[in-house]
Amino acid sequence: MTASGDPGPLALIAGRGDLPVHVVEGARAAGRDVFVARLKGFEEPRLADHRGASIGIGELGKLIKALKAEGCRDIVFAGHVSRPDFSALSVDLRGARLLPKAIKVARNGDDALLRLILSELEAEGFRILGAETFAENLLAPDGQIAGPRPSPAALEDVARAQEVARVIGELDIGQGCVVCDGLVLAVEAQEGTDAMLARCADLPSPLKGRPGAPRGVLVKVPKPIQTRKIDLPTIGLATLEGVQKAGLAGIAVRAGAALVIDRPALEAFGAKEGVFVWGLGGPE
């Protein structure tokens, strides 16, 4: 923050998807200018003409220099970015110094790698803010979000899936789990939620429901070990479509700790297809 109290432009480190677009819109509505650092290989086309720069994942020095030159102090991370291939990563001098440590901590999981990057930026005086700071309207509410209320059987599956998701989250594996009739059908790892749901769709019908007669649920919750300044579980229409195609009854996310993109579209799809989105309240 400057001596006049002006916090300066918001720095958005952006990958693909709707979320970084929502952050830009929310920041502008709050009166903040935004400088977008578009990560090379993961640029969101809708932000292509926004003031900013294209910066490689391994160009940490370039990123820090650009943000300081713009007078940025606050940083938000938003959008989809895949884990880099460290053997082929282009790095600048600052990135090269960090690379051996990044390779080492990455063996412990994505969250360990993210914490390392955040610590480097915080050591330079930047403040990391959650995407919900400028997109609070996307936070999942408690209870019914879209579609019908979940049945007692579905809520039993939710409880089981939440228990499993907590365990894999402690191990920094993933945020999501699919359960049907108490049986764990899949856990999310490096493939991501959409690919996990596609895998579930290929399972034999006795293990799960089918479109028109759904059974089973997807639960996505934050990892217990993760900082919630980055990588909150995020769902959108594509997630709910994947749930429906997999024959599942719905999705449950942690209220206040997940982001729901394009809720009107989810409400329309949930009502039409009979699949739910539910916000989990109460203790975690």
Side-chain angles (χ1 to χ4, degrees):
M1 185 175 292
T2 64
S4 65
D6 179 3
L10 174 70
L12 173 61
I13 300 179
R16 296 193 189 104
D18 293 323
L19 184 56
V21 177
H22 282 283
V23 171
V24 168
E25 292 172 350
R28 283 175 161 175
R32 290 288 294 272
D33 190 12
V34 184
F35 178 83
V36 179
R38 296 179 289 273
L39 294 177
K40 291 179 182 176
F42 303 97
E43 294 97 332
E44 169 52 49
R46 287 169 290 178
L47 297 177
D49 296 329
H50 197 283
R51 187 170 70 87
S54 292
I55 297 175
I57 291 176
E59 296 177 322
L60 182 60
K62 180 180 178 180
L63 173 65
I64 291 170
K65 183 177 180 181
L67 299 191
K68 288 187 173 181
E70 291 291 329
C72 300
R73 289 294 177 266
D74 295 338
I75 296 175
V76 168
F77 286 77
H80 175 71
V81 178
S82 300
R83 176 183 281 234
D85 177 357
F86 291 111
S87 66
L89 191 63
S90 296
V91 295
D92 59 14
L93 183 59
R94 180 69 180 268
R97 290 204 301 267
L98 187 65
L99 186 59
K101 190 172 183 180
I103 293 172
K104 182 178 180 179
V105 302
R107 295 175 62 87
N108 296 322
D110 286 345
D111 197 66
L113 180 58
L114 291 173
R115 287 197 302 271
L116 173 64
I117 295 169
L118 297 192
S119 69
E120 289 288 314
L121 292 170
E122 288 172 334
E124 291 289 337
F126 296 108
R127 181 174 63 154
I128 312 300
L129 304 177
E132 69 277 9
T133 305
F134 299 98
E136 188 176 7
N137 62 314
L138 300 183
L139 281 172
D142 190 354
Q144 192 171 13
I145 297 172
R149 293 180 65 87
S151 67
L155 289 176
E156 288 182 9
D157 282 343
V158 166
R160 173 64 170 155
Q162 189 175 195
E163 177 186 7
V164 174
R166 187 180 299 116
V167 172
I168 66 168
E170 288 280 8
L171 297 172
D172 203 359
I173 294 172
Q175 298 174 326
C177 177
V178 176
V179 168
C180 182
D181 297 335
L183 181 67
V184 177
L185 302 187
V187 293
E188 181 185 17
Q190 285 297 310
E191 80 275 34
T193 304
D194 292 347
M196 176 182 64
L197 290 171
R199 180 156 46 92
C200 287
D202 290 335
L203 292 173
S205 57
L207 294 179
K208 61 178 181 61
R210 55 181 171 77
R215 289 173 21 248
V217 300
L218 162 67
V219 169
K220 280 183 67 76
V221 291
K223 300 172 187 174
I225 64 169
Q226 80 176 75
T227 172
R228 297 197 179 181
K229 296 177 182 178
I230 186 171
D231 197 30
L232 280 184
T234 302
I235 63 169
L237 181 58
T239 322
L240 195 56
E241 289 173 339
V243 160
Q244 187 268 340
K245 290 176 183 176
L248 304 176
I251 306 171
V253 294
R254 172 59 55 184
L259 301 172
V260 179
I261 306 293
D262 199 359
R263 184 171 173 180
L266 268 66
E267 290 172 348
F269 186 85
K272 177 184 176 184
E273 300 295 340
V275 289
F276 66 80
V277 181
W278 188 258
L280 296 165
E284 298 187 23

